[in-house]
Amino acid sequence: MTRTNRVLQRWTLAAGLAAFIGACAATPQPAPQTAAPTPPSQKPQAAHTTVQAPAESGAAYSAPVQRTTVASPGNPRGTPGTPAFSGPTGPFTPTGNADMDAWRQDFVARATSRGQNPALLYALLKDIRPLDIYLGPDDRSEVANQAEFSKAIWDYLATAVTDNRLETGRQKLAELGPVFDQLEQTYGVNREALSAIWGMETNFGGYMGDFSAANTLANMAVEGRRRSFAEGEILALAKIVENGYARLDQLGSGWAGAMGHTQFMPSTYLSYAQDYDGDGLANVWTSSPDALASAANYLSASGYRFDQPWGIEVLAPQGFDWGMADGNDRRLSTWIAEGLSPIRGGGFGVDPSDYAELWLPAGATGPKYLLFRNFEVFKTYNRSNSYALAVGLLANGLAGQTGPVASWPRDIERLSLDQVKQLQAALNQLGYDAGGVDGIAGSGTRAALRRFQQANGLVADGYPSRPALDAVMSRLRS
């Protein structure tokens, strides 16, 4: 496999391997501008007032000192009126990679022609060096085979929703109780969900990455597939420094350029970062309250609903039409009429007019969920369903409810990446349009398989298992 193809595979598979194994946390995606409804407990946000800036916070956090001038969390002020960043503007020392050197010269020339500060660009990029995960030899694959796709979902969850993570999460909820009170009131995001994101992203600040954001993004730009995105993020880094939100030496990140306790890309930081303690800064690197307020603001802007669960595990009656697990939202009243009920008993506790999607993460014989809006909100951090399910189960566990109740179908043979490609190609040949042959069994592949199963009198759950592949290949050969 060529280096270009290997890097493409790395990026296609998903960003999020090391929220729990120590490589890097997931990267937030730009959130849609959808206002979250106000929960019954939410208080109006007070206007942000100026307070005396405390000493810079360290990695450890102690409860905030109660001050009469403290306001609700709000946008950082930075350091307005500070003189423009100044210093040398070159020349750059060669990096040892001709492509990186050429890109840097070209990027700086283009950026300065559009009014960017050349001294700041020099300071950001003078020490960049090639990283193997982007520009290394062909046999390197540190970011390949991301856990969300390469592992069985039950194996992935076993490493993500752990007893240790639940225990640490409970400790953080207790330690930062007043902070979570304020965040629920201000942003309308449940503390358990917010803490679960924190746990998944950096293990509650235990690992935020030891990369330089500027270097990582420069490598991404040189690799080329996401050059425009990476260059925009570098300019966002420059703006963070220009606005006085952070110093150059604070801009550490994970392998994809995401920063701080809750892993914000630079542009996401500029749009959603919040100052919790009123010191004028949004210090997502060493202040967990600032980082949590920022994440709460982001989730709220993405449409989080305080009054609704992320998902409910359900039971289905015999003879249920599994073809309804087609990715479409239907009113809860429709699902109830079809015979779905909470697996734990009782009612749903959700308005029957609300919409939900039926999801079968491991087919008709495994756990089954009705998914609500908040599940999609979790995916603004990482587009993987497995990641969002881990966040949901971790949040439930922090609230005292472990799951799932149903057992995973560990006896059904899963497909390897090459076998998924074989399935996709065969479905396409049979006219079921599985989309690109990439080895990732996403919604298009599952929908195509579901249509094949329906047409051939099989259980139409769209689960890409070995029996499903055998059935497709048998039809192709007939």
Side-chain angles (χ1 to χ4, degrees), residues 81-137:
T82 301
F85 190 95
S86 61
T89 60
F92 289 111
T93 302
T95 66
N97 182 295
D99 290 339
M100 177 169 276
D101 293 339
W103 166 81
R104 181 169 58 183
Q105 289 296 141
D106 176 68
F107 171 71
V108 170
R110 286 185 283 116
T112 53
S113 71
R114 296 194 297 268
Q116 295 294 323
N117 183 329
L120 180 50
L121 292 175
Y122 175 79
L124 277 171
L125 300 175
K126 65 184 177 67
D127 294 323
I128 62 173
R129 293 294 181 270
L131 297 171
D132 282 337
I133 55 175
Y134 292 98
L135 303 174

Side-chain angles (χ1 to χ4, degrees), residues 3 51 68 82 97 116 189 325 366 387 392:
R3 181 185 62 78
V51 298
T68 58
T82 301
N97 182 295
Q116 295 294 323
V189 177
Y387 171 88

Side-chain angles (χ1 to χ4, degrees), residues 59-74:
Y61 170 75
S62 57
V65 177
Q66 296 299 313
R67 294 174 292 174
T68 58
T69 54
V70 171
S72 295

Side-chain angles (χ1 to χ4, degrees), residues 133-460:
I133 55 175
Y134 292 98
L135 303 174
D138 291 348
D139 61 351
R140 299 301 182 101
S141 186
E142 290 93 336
V143 186
N145 298 318
Q146 297 293 335
E148 291 91 338
F149 290 97
S150 63
K151 287 187 175 182
I153 190 167
W154 48 87
D155 290 334
Y156 171 76
L157 293 173
T159 62
V161 188
T162 63
D163 290 342
N164 179 265
R165 185 163 284 173
L166 286 166
E167 178 60 28
T168 303
R170 294 186 190 106
Q171 292 173 0
K172 294 297 184 181
L173 286 172
E175 175 189 340
L176 302 179
V179 174
F180 284 109
D181 287 341
Q182 179 69 73
L183 298 182
E184 284 189 344
Q185 293 166 1
T186 303
Y187 302 103
V189 177
N190 300 78
R191 65 187 65 205
E192 293 85 5
L194 186 57
S195 186
I197 291 284
W198 187 18
M200 287 292 293
E201 289 304 306
T202 62
N203 203 24
F204 307 99
Y207 186 82
M208 291 180 275
D210 55 4
F211 291 82
S212 156
N215 191 41
T216 293
L217 293 166
N219 273 265
M220 189 188 302
V222 176
E223 182 272 325
R225 198 178 71 84
R226 304 185 72 192
R227 174 165 295 181
S228 178
F229 169 80
E231 290 182 348
E233 295 300 320
I234 293 171
L235 295 179
L237 277 179
K239 190 170 184 180
I240 289 171
V241 176
E242 285 177 329
N243 289 352
Y245 297 147
R247 303 184 310 271
L248 279 168
D249 61 359
Q250 288 181 292
L251 302 179
S253 76
W255 67 266
M259 308 180 300
H261 279 263
T262 50
Q263 293 289 277
F264 270 17
M265 293 302 290
S267 61
T268 310
Y269 177 99
L270 288 173
S271 296
Y272 301 103
Q274 295 284 276
D275 170 21
Y276 176 85
D277 56 18
D279 68 353
L281 305 177
N283 184 354
V284 300
W285 297 271
T286 63
S287 170
S288 52
D290 279 6
L292 290 167
S294 302
N297 186 41
Y298 180 80
L299 294 171
S300 178
S302 299
Y304 188 91
R305 287 188 57 172
F306 189 90
D307 61 344
Q308 203 177 76
W310 62 268
I312 297 174
E313 190 178 355
V314 296
L315 289 171
Q318 189 171 1
F320 181 80
D321 178 10
W322 298 111
M324 296 184 72
D326 55 6
N328 291 319
D329 287 335
R330 296 175 174 85
R331 291 190 187 275
L332 180 58
S333 57
T334 299
W335 295 119
I336 294 173
E338 292 291 333
L340 297 188
S341 61
I343 197 169
R344 299 177 190 273
F348 282 98
V350 179
D351 193 305
S353 65
D354 284 348
Y355 285 86
E357 169 196 343
L358 177 62
W359 181 45
L360 311 175
T365 60
K368 309 157 187 67
Y369 288 92
L370 284 180
L371 302 178
F372 296 88
R373 168 65 182 168
N374 289 343
F375 189 83
E376 285 299 311
V377 173
F378 295 158
K379 289 170 66 176
T380 61
Y381 256 96
N382 184 315
R383 295 310 304 171
S384 162
N385 282 331
S386 296
Y387 171 88
L389 179 60
V391 171
L393 292 177
L394 188 56
N396 285 0
L398 292 173
Q401 183 185 89
T402 58
V405 176
S407 300
W408 295 106
R410 299 171 185 269
D411 58 325
I412 298 178
E413 184 180 348
R414 295 176 61 252
L415 300 182
S416 67
L417 186 144
D418 286 340
Q419 288 172 325
V420 173
K421 289 181 178 180
Q422 186 181 13
L423 175 67
Q424 292 167 328
L427 287 168
N428 286 339
Q429 285 182 262
L430 290 169
Y432 291 99
D433 190 14
V437 179
D438 57 8
I440 298 175
S443 58
T445 300
R446 288 174 178 256
L449 177 57
R450 191 181 305 112
R451 292 192 295 272
F452 168 84
Q453 291 167 327
Q454 288 172 326
N456 289 274
L458 304 172
V459 174

